């Protein structure tokens, strides 16, 4: 090559890129990692028409090469009928129907601030503090924010993309390579600026399915956050009622201690008068420290319960300043004979399970769409030159465009394995939903039966306690008059003490069961039902 040829080559180098830039189209298009069929057209009209025709003809012929036949989910969602329940059989049956998607039963819905129905301002303040600053609830909210951010990222993948790059290098070219003089053996500045765009066309719903799966996962995270909120609120209310129970038990123990001290004084007087033996005296003396031990044990439990409430509201010292709640001042709420189906259908854990089924269903759709052709559009435009003084010249421009069409043909079973895995994930999600449904029906039925049984037990207990109190008063009076021995007094005292404790426990259990029932019915959470599941449930 002579000197004139080298000058011509250099001039051409200023106006055309040294290295072909059509490779950028390859980077901007999606291709299969395994063997497949692909067609790419790059800005040459005649070649584009020929290759497009050949490509689409080949795709039509090869569509069946990668097959997903015979792969389908196996587990079916349960409903009220499959559980053997009918709407007329029990409130739990209505609840099962609601959990399966039939949320149209009339009835009074719970309020989201359901704890206010007890009318205790101190309790309301504790729940508000817990919901405002509990770390577990903040973690749930953070997971929810992360899930929604991921869904936005998936949504963005369905749109076009534009990237820009600018690169300036100083490069020495080899004198014995493919570059002739004056570039071979010399050092030059290289400049390149490019805008690259691409857009994957979603003809077969891959991006739509991925977005639906991401939204389903975000909705499930939202329901999980509401479940955490409900659990936290119910834990605070239950702990508050437990504190009231322990305080009432302490009052019973202190009353018992006072009675035993009075009885001890009476026995001492009778012993001094020679009416009782040392046996009765020792028996009476032993009852006083036993009562004191029970008082101290209850005070310990009260201190621990205050610490637990402080941890729930994230203010350890706040519980120490609480006014002691009175169990008798807390009035139990009435439970309707029939509960609307809508309540259990709005349980946040059931809603989360439904949305996970929706997300898994869409993931299966996404895995199935990978068997179909992929179409991607890509283009670039920019400037490239050897020497910075030539960079801004019109002759340094470069551009390219072209569609790319690809189809998997043989991948050693990777796509089928992926689809089987997604189908198995859907089966697991449906099974988890079914288990949540069964647990919900079981939970509500247990709480309803316990609540109604406790009311009947309280009626019988009040009568038993009245009789025990009368028997104890009579035995003590007869003992004072010398008409009976001290063993009769002890037996009557044991019976009345047991009834007093049982009365406190039943009153506290009634309140605790009502809180558990509200939790089991969703605590006023307004669930959003996936359209696909709503349709299938009907």
């Amino acid at each position: 090559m002579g000197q004139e040829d080298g000058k011509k080559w250099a001039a051409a180098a200023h106006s055309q890129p040294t290295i072909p830039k059509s490779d950028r189209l390859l980077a901007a298009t999606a291709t299969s990692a395994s063997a497949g069929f692909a067609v790419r057209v790059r800005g040459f009209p005649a070649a584009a028409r020929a290759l497009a025709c050949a490509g689409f003809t080949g795709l039509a012929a090869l569509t069946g090469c990668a097959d997903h036949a015979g792969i389908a989910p196996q587990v079916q969602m349960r409903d009220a009928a499959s559980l053997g329940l009918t709407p007329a059989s029990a409130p739990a049956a209505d609840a099962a129907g609601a959990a399966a998607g039939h949320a149209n039963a009339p009835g009074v819905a719970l309020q989201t601030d359901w704890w206010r129905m007890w009318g205790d301002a101190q309790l309301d303040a504790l729940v508000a503090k817990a919901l405002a600053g509990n770390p577990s609830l903040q973690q749930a909210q953070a997971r929810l924010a992360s899930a929604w951010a991921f869904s936005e990222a998936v949504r963005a993948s369905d749109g076009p993309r534009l990237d820009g790059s600018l690169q300036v290098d100083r490069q020495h070219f080899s004198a014995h390579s493919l570059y002739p003089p004056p570039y071979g053996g010399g050092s030059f500045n290289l400049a390149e600026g490019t805008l690259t765009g691409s857009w994957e066309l979603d003809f077969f719903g891959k991006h739509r399915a991925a977005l639906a799966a991401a939204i389903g996962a975000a909705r499930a995270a939202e329901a999980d956050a509401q479940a955490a909120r409900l659990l936290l609120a119910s834990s605070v209310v239950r702990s508050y009622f437990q504190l009231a129970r322990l305080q009432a038990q302490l009052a019973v123990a202190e009353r018992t201690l006072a009675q035993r001290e009075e009885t001890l004084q009476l026995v001492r007087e009778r012993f001094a008068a020679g009416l009782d033996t040392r046996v009765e005296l020792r028996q009476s003396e032993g009852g006083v420290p036993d009562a004191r031990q029970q008082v101290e044990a209850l005070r310990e439990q009260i201190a621990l319960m205050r610490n637990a409430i402080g941890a729930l509201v994230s203010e350890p010292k706040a519980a120490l300043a609480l006014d002691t709640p009175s169990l008798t001042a807390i009035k139990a709420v009435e439970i309707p004979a029939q509960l609307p189906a809508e309540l259990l259908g709005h349980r946040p854990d059931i809603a989360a399970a439904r949305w996970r089924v929706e997300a898994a269903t869409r993931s299966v759709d996404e895995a199935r769409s990978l068997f179909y052709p992929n179409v991607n559009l890509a283009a670039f435009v920019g400037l490239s030159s050897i020497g910075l003084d030539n960079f801004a010249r019109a002759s340094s421009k470069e551009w390219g465009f072209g569609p790319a069409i690809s189809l998997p043909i043989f991948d050693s079973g990777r796509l089928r394995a992926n689809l089987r895995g997604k189908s198995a994930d859907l089966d697991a999600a449906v099974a988890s939903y079914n288990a949540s449904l069964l647990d919900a029906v079981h939970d509500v039925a247990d709480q309803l039966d316990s609540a109604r049984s406790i009311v009947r037990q309280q009626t019988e207990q009040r009568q038993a306690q009245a009789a025990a109190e009368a028997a104890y008063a009579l035995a003590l009076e007869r003992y004072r008059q010398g008409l009976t021995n001290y063993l009769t007094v002890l037996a009557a005292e044991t019976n009345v003490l047991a009834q007093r404790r049982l009365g406190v426990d039943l009153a506290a259990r009634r309140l605790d069961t009502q809180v558990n029932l509200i939790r089991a019915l969703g605590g006023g959470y307004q669930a959003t039902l996936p359209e696909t599941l709503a349709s299938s449930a009907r």
Side-chain angles (χ1 to χ4, degrees):
M1 180 183 294
Q3 186 173 2
E4 291 298 326
D5 293 334
K7 291 180 180 180
K8 292 180 181 179
W9 186 92
H14 291 312
S15 60
Q16 296 294 335
T18 304
I19 301 173
K21 296 301 186 290
S22 57
D23 290 341
R24 289 195 185 89
L25 291 174
L26 298 178
T29 56
T31 58
S32 173
S34 56
F37 183 85
V39 177
R40 294 184 178 85
V41 183
R42 302 188 186 98
F44 298 101
R49 289 192 294 269
L51 286 176
C53 293
F56 282 112
T57 302
L59 289 176
L62 295 172
T63 299
C65 293
D67 187 18
H68 56 74
I71 303 176
Q74 303 298 318
V75 183
Q76 300 297 320
M77 294 177 64
R78 301 286 296 272
D79 55 15
S82 69
L83 295 174
L85 300 175
T86 61
S89 63
D94 294 335
H102 303 290
N104 54 4
V108 180
L110 290 171
Q111 300 298 319
T112 55
D113 55 350
W114 50 267
W115 53 87
R116 295 184 180 275
M117 69 176 65
W118 283 283
D120 191 317
Q122 185 172 238
L123 174 60
D124 297 343
L126 286 174
V127 176
K129 287 182 179 179
L131 296 180
N134 187 271
S136 297
L137 198 58
Q138 292 171 350
Q139 290 178 0
Q141 292 294 337
R143 288 192 292 268
L144 173 59
S146 176
W148 278 116
F150 177 74
S151 70
E152 290 299 321
V154 174
R155 186 191 305 273
S157 66
D158 192 33
R161 176 172 178 171
L162 181 64
D163 297 308
S165 65
L166 178 63
Q167 183 176 354
V168 178
D169 296 315
R170 179 72 174 175
Q171 182 174 343
H172 180 79
F173 293 94
S174 172
H176 304 289
S177 184
L178 57 88
Y179 303 103
Y183 294 96
S187 298
F188 299 90
N189 294 320
L190 304 181
E192 185 176 60
T194 308
L195 289 176
T196 303
S198 63
W199 189 7
E200 185 176 350
L201 303 180
D202 192 22
F203 287 128
F204 298 97
K206 180 177 70 173
H207 293 307
R208 292 192 296 273
L211 177 59
I215 291 177
R219 290 291 187 184
E222 184 178 53
D224 286 337
Q226 291 298 324
R229 182 181 185 275
L230 175 60
L231 179 61
L232 177 60
S234 61
S235 296
V236 172
V237 176
R238 293 183 65 194
S239 298
Y240 187 79
F241 290 162
Q242 181 70 2
L243 179 61
R245 182 191 76 83
L246 292 172
Q247 191 63 41
Q249 289 286 17
L250 178 61
V252 171
E254 290 175 340
R255 180 182 176 186
T256 301
L257 175 60
Q259 287 180 343
R260 288 185 178 179
E261 288 175 342
E262 292 174 2
T263 303
L264 176 59
Q265 182 62 31
L266 175 61
V267 172
R268 282 173 175 169
E269 292 173 358
R270 288 175 58 84
F271 176 75
L275 299 176
D276 275 340
T277 66
R278 192 173 296 277
V279 174
E280 285 81 8
L281 178 62
R282 295 306 181 203
Q283 287 176 334
S284 182
E285 289 175 342
V288 173
D290 178 67
R292 289 173 180 165
Q293 183 272 329
Q294 294 179 19
V295 168
E296 186 58 35
L298 286 167
R299 287 174 178 168
E300 177 195 8
Q301 293 179 46
I302 289 173
L304 296 179
M305 185 53 61
R306 286 180 178 272
N307 293 339
I309 293 175
L312 287 172
V313 301
S314 302
E315 294 184 17
K317 294 183 179 180
L320 300 178
L322 285 178
D323 294 333
T324 302
S326 173
L327 189 63
T328 56
I330 302 173
K331 303 301 181 183
V333 297
E334 295 298 327
I335 300 176
Q338 294 291 328
L339 295 173
E342 183 180 5
L343 296 180
L344 185 55
H346 287 175
R347 275 178 60 127
D349 60 333
I350 296 294
R354 289 202 304 259
W355 277 111
R356 289 191 176 93
V357 172
E358 174 73 3
T361 301
R362 297 307 185 183
S363 293
V364 170
D365 294 341
E366 181 186 6
R368 190 175 290 114
S369 70
L370 297 178
F371 287 82
Y372 297 99
N374 181 72
V375 180
N376 192 33
L377 299 179
F380 74 91
V381 62
L383 299 171
S384 179
S385 70
I386 299 178
L388 297 180
D389 54 334
N390 298 314
F391 181 70
R393 294 182 178 180
S395 57
S396 296
K397 67 181 179 182
E398 58 178 358
W399 57 269
F401 70 91
I405 306 170
S406 62
L407 173 71
I409 299 174
F410 178 73
D411 63 355
S412 300
R414 289 180 180 86
L415 291 179
R416 289 181 61 84
N418 178 59
L419 181 58
R420 281 196 298 270
K422 298 300 183 181
S423 298
D425 290 342
L426 176 55
D427 286 339
V430 173
S432 178
Y433 169 81
N434 292 339
S436 297
L437 176 59
L438 290 171
D439 289 343
V441 174
H442 181 198
D443 192 8
V444 172
D446 282 354
Q447 302 306 328
L448 283 173
D449 289 341
S450 293
R452 291 164 182 164
S453 175
I454 289 171
V455 173
R456 295 191 293 267
Q457 291 180 53
Q458 283 184 304
T459 301
E460 301 298 331
Q461 185 275 329
R462 281 191 286 266
Q463 297 178 5
Q465 182 174 345
E469 295 280 2
Y472 175 69
L474 181 60
L476 189 59
E477 182 62 28
R478 287 175 60 83
Y479 175 71
R480 284 194 181 98
Q481 297 176 5
L483 299 178
T484 188
N485 57 32
Y486 188 67
L487 290 178
T488 303
V489 176
L490 287 178
E493 182 195 52
T494 300
N495 190 23
V496 75
L497 178 59
Q499 288 300 325
R500 289 172 183 172
R501 290 173 175 170
L502 180 59
V504 170
D505 286 341
L506 285 175
R509 275 196 63 203
R510 185 178 182 184
L511 293 172
D512 187 72
T513 301
Q514 288 178 346
V515 175
N516 280 332
L517 179 58
I518 291 172
R519 175 195 52 76
L521 293 173
Y525 171 62
Q526 299 299 315
T528 302
L529 184 67
E531 290 297 330
T532 53
L533 295 182
S535 301
S536 63
R538 297 187 186 96

